[in-house]
Amino acid sequence: MNPLLEIDNLRVKYGNIEALHGVSFTVEDGEIVTLIGANGAGKSTTLMSIARLPPPEAPKVISGDIRHKGVSLLNMAPDKVVANLHMALVPEGRHIFGNLTVEENLKLATYARKGDSVPDIQRDYDQVYALFPRLAERRRQQSESLSGGEQQMLAVGRALMSKCSIIMLDEPSMGLAPALMYDMFRTLKQLNEEGMTILLVEQNANLALKFAHRGYVLDTGEIVAQGTSQELMADPEVKKAYLGA
Amino acid sequence: METGNKLQRNAFALAVISGCVLIILLAQFKVINLYIQSVIMFMGINIMISTSLNLVNGNMGEFSCGHAAFLCVGAYVSSITSVLIMAPNDITGAPFLPPELAVLVFPISVFVGGVVAALAGILVALPSFKTRGDYLAIITIAVNYMVISGIENLSVVGGPRGFMGMKKVVKSMYELADIPWMMIFVALGTIFCVLIIRRYVSSTYGKGVNAICQDEIAAEIMSVNTNKVKLVTFMLSSGLCGMAGGLFAHVVGYVNPQSFNILKSTEAMVMVYLGGMGSLSGAVISAVFFTFLLELLRPLQILKWVIIPFTLVLLMQFRPEGIMGNKELTDVFPKLRKYCRFK
């Protein structure tokens, strides 16, 4: 049985600079997997490669493979990754559409769902609003006027509206107050319990490891440690370098 | 939004249509003279030019400054089509069809001009997959020059001397029935153009255009196929502009490559920026206003090209967002919503 998502010896570069030197990891169905590491380790790069975003903003794959249930997606267009494989990226810095309202942002996320019926989509709107009541309150507000935390909720809500089964989160805690951050992770945990597979990239290693089932430690483009969250949290090297203990 | 009855909701559309009919009737009974008629027709053509450019520059956030290239392609292709079919010429000799059919052939030739201009739009759309902003602007200028120089060197269509013969086609329409044909076609073309753009921009597919303008990365992860949306949008924009070109060529009765140079592209851009980026009603209002201004300043002759750019300087200083900003008329006057459906 092939893993849901398999990254096999992936090497990528920006221009002439190699950013990942052979990264391999797997994500199984229903898991929460986290990639932790310092700034510049290649965490966001990995997610952008998986989402197949085009250069120059995203890196170019030189060798290795990314497989979804055993099928390579290296030659797949980014819109197909979302529409056919149901993998959604919540990018670093949120990238919401500032001049659209909350509702319009969510509506845009249904772009991939041409065949779906209106009641189906309506049910998902309701679900997102139930998950994030703050968004429901502000549904007619221009999304650039939202606070940072609300924008992050919108970015996650938008990913959910694209009916994803794998959600890739890039630094969801960035710029959030601790209370909001815990709220966000609680919501993600709830989604995972309902069957969502989560691939999480996070600076806050402590929080990420508490939340995830398994983790990988990236350092300057290579995986230097891996294991279950408990193992990693107990690892003296990881403790010293990333958990600040 | 179910406000008011059907008649009320369509009141705005009815007002526009009756306005057009009124103008055509005024022209028919010679209440307005030929000069005013031609100014009104140029207003219609300018509306088509500015709304189509607004689709690319305003809604999609690209920076195209060679819009006249598509006007030129449309003008030449539709002129050549109609002249080859309907008028005696050097290449095919006698006309293929009797002059009575001019009324049918003319709109078809305008449409053909639009289709070919849309194909020419691919010239800009393909580079736009990889570049945007200033770099794409340079490409659009290059395309503008390519088209003009290409036609200047084609002696079959008159080269730099220009191409004529459309007057005969137009004349045979007037011989069939003495009604203001050109006025009718320009009105139809303008309404067609504005309606198509309105539908496109407010559709779910058209939301992808806005998404590209805002944030291309985010558009990609929202599963917008940015390349396809760019291609469709550029082709739609250049196609509609090409139809405007076809109408323009037949209204004037003569085309010359140099009348589609960078100055014409600049005029189109001025109209878009004056109206407000991404505002369809702004593009319409500014096209009407700009045509009016050009005619008003005509006595100043060449000096008007000092005054009009100067108004642009003032505009950028005091109201950089243009007349309407990115709002529509219904956003500024919410009461209008009762009388027209915008989305």
Side-chain angles (χ1 to χ4, degrees):
Chain A
M1 180 76 186
N2 289 312
L4 185 61
L5 194 60
E6 182 182 15
I7 284 71
D8 182 13
N9 205 14
L10 187 69
R11 287 175 60 211
V12 303
K13 60 179 184 180
Y14 290 99
N16 288 323
I17 301 157
E18 194 169 315
L20 298 182
H21 318 286
V23 167
S24 304
F25 65 92
T26 57
V27 181
E28 298 289 344
D29 198 1
E31 259 190 329
I32 304 177
V33 172
T34 179
L35 296 178
I36 56 177
N39 286 329
K43 308 184 298 285
S44 303
T45 301
T46 312
L47 289 197
M48 282 196 278
S49 311
I50 299 174
R52 305 306 308 128
L53 294 183
E57 289 86 357
K60 203 177 154 157
V61 173
I62 18 183
S63 72
D65 205 354
I66 303 165
R67 284 186 287 265
H68 176 270
K69 293 184 182 161
V71 182
S72 171
L73 46 95
L74 282 189
N75 292 321
M76 201 174 246
D79 57 302
K80 295 284 175 292
V81 172
V82 186
N84 300 352
L85 304 183
H86 306 293
M87 288 166 47
L89 172 67
V90 178
E92 190 176 2
R94 295 152 199 153
H95 286 273
I96 58 164
F97 301 108
N99 74 345
L100 300 183
T101 63
V102 169
E103 201 163 82
E104 286 169 328
N105 262 280
L106 294 178
K107 186 177 173 194
L108 234 166
T110 62
Y111 208 86
R113 306 170 58 174
K114 290 202 180 69
D116 285 13
S117 66
V118 175
D120 268 358
I121 291 177
Q122 189 56 48
R123 201 179 49 232
D124 286 359
Y125 278 125
D126 296 341
Q127 197 193 353
V128 168
Y129 286 139
L131 221 47
F132 301 110
R134 291 286 278 274
L135 293 184
E137 285 166 29
R138 298 175 198 280
R139 64 173 80 185
R140 298 208 189 285
Q141 201 170 316
Q142 291 258 307
S143 54
E144 64 196 350
S145 68
L146 298 181
S147 77
E150 290 160 349
Q151 288 188 11
Q152 188 67 56
M153 291 176 198
L154 180 57
V156 175
R158 213 174 50 170
L160 297 178
M161 282 309 292
S162 65
K163 205 167 94 181
C164 58
S165 54
I166 307 175
I167 186 167
M168 298 184 279
L169 298 143
D170 198 348
E171 305 270 358
S173 70
M174 192 172 78
L176 292 192
L180 270 179
M181 187 166 82
Y182 288 120
D183 272 354
M184 176 65 73
F185 275 87
R186 216 168 289 138
T187 311
L188 291 172
K189 192 91 194 173
Q190 188 188 333
L191 284 171
N192 173 252
E193 279 156 12
E194 287 161 15
M196 179 82 71
T197 308
I198 297 177
L199 177 56
L200 170 76
V201 155
E202 191 48 79
Q203 284 273 342
N204 188 337
N206 232 325
L207 181 68
L209 287 176
K210 273 182 201 146
F211 168 71
H213 302 129
R214 286 193 302 123
Y216 293 85
V217 181
L218 262 175
D219 188 24
T220 54
E222 278 167 287
I223 289 190
V224 292
Q226 55 178 292
T228 64
S229 299
Q230 286 77 17
E231 283 166 8
L232 284 177
M233 276 194 277
D235 186 327
E237 286 288 315
V238 175
K239 245 184 185 167
K240 200 172 119 211
Y242 302 104
L243 300 178
Chain B
M1 264 179 278
E2 285 300 314
T3 44
N5 56 26
K6 204 170 177 185
L7 186 71
Q8 195 179 22
R9 267 184 288 132
N10 292 317
F12 192 74
L14 283 175
V16 170
I17 292 169
S18 42
C20 290
V21 171
L22 182 70
I23 291 173
I24 291 164
L25 284 178
L26 286 179
Q28 169 71 12
F29 295 108
K30 311 279 187 288
V31 183
I32 47 178
N33 63 26
L34 283 174
Y35 168 67
I36 294 177
Q37 282 183 35
S38 74
V39 172
I40 291 171
M41 282 190 277
F42 282 127
M43 273 181 191
I45 290 165
N46 278 341
I47 288 173
M48 290 177 76
I49 296 172
S50 78
T51 50
S52 62
L53 182 63
N54 187 39
L55 185 61
V56 165
N57 281 25
N59 293 98
M60 195 154 69
E62 302 285 0
F63 193 64
S64 164
C65 28
H67 208 50
F70 309 117
L71 198 66
C72 182
V73 171
Y76 265 86
V77 171
S78 74
S79 310
I80 292 165
T81 318
S82 70
V83 168
L84 277 189
I85 298 177
M86 296 310 308
N89 57 75
D90 304 340
I91 306 157
T92 53
F96 283 113
L97 296 172
E100 292 78 46
L101 288 176
V103 177
L104 284 178
V105 171
F106 172 64
I108 294 171
S109 75
V110 168
F111 190 74
V112 169
V115 170
V116 177
L119 295 176
I122 298 176
L123 268 182
V124 177
L126 289 182
S128 82
F129 293 174
K130 292 214 184 271
T131 42
R132 62 179 300 153
D134 305 355
Y135 306 103
L136 188 67
I138 292 167
I139 290 170
T140 57
I141 296 176
V143 168
N144 197 341
Y145 276 99
M146 275 161 63
V147 167
I148 293 176
S149 312
I151 289 174
E152 274 184 342
N153 286 296
L154 272 179
S155 52
V156 187
V157 293
R161 281 174 293 119
F163 185 80
M164 56 184 90
M166 291 79 86
K167 275 270 189 272
K168 288 176 201 143
V169 182
V170 176
K171 214 176 123 206
S172 45
M173 288 200 288
Y174 282 101
E175 276 165 5
L176 185 71
D178 189 23
I179 52 174
W181 285 109
M182 289 312 292
M183 200 79 141
I184 294 170
F185 283 122
V186 170
L188 287 179
T190 310
I191 291 173
F192 173 77
C193 172
V194 173
L195 278 185
I196 288 259
I197 292 179
R198 195 184 91 164
R199 282 294 298 165
Y200 182 66
V201 173
S202 57
S203 69
T204 309
Y205 192 85
K207 282 267 175 284
V209 179
N210 197 313
I212 290 177
C213 171
Q214 283 274 301
D215 192 325
E216 236 180 296
I217 291 273
E220 297 262 13
I221 54 181
M222 289 296 93
S223 136
V224 175
N225 185 338
T226 53
N227 287 356
K228 194 171 148 199
V229 173
K230 279 181 191 170
L231 186 68
V232 170
T233 310
F234 269 115
M235 284 179 75
L236 181 64
S237 160
S238 54
L240 290 171
C241 185
M243 288 178 64
L247 291 167
F248 173 80
H250 287 83
V251 168
V252 179
Y254 163 77
V255 283
N256 168 337
Q258 279 307 326
S259 51
F260 304 105
N261 61 11
I262 198 83
L263 194 64
K264 190 80 190 171
S265 299
T266 314
E267 272 182 38
M269 274 164 58
V270 170
M271 285 191 282
V272 169
Y273 286 87
L274 183 68
M277 303 287 276
S279 166
L280 184 59
S281 36
V284 173
I285 293 170
S286 75
V288 171
F289 176 72
F290 186 73
T291 321
F292 193 65
L293 192 70
L294 276 185
E295 291 307 319
L296 209 64
L297 296 177
R298 193 176 283 280
L300 294 177
Q301 289 173 356
I302 208 75
L303 248 180
K304 79 178 175 186
W305 286 114
V306 176
I307 293 176
I308 287 168
F310 184 68
T311 55
L312 198 59
V313 174
L314 290 181
L315 182 77
M316 288 299 137
Q317 281 290 309
F318 297 107
R319 198 173 164 80
E321 70 272 28
I323 298 173
M324 302 291 292
N326 61 0
K327 295 190 174 69
E328 296 295 344
L329 261 185
T330 45
D331 300 328
V332 183
F333 303 107
K335 278 188 182 153
L336 270 179
R337 288 216 180 107
K338 265 193 255 169
Y339 303 107
C340 73
R341 284 171 298 174
F342 196 78
K343 277 172 188 162

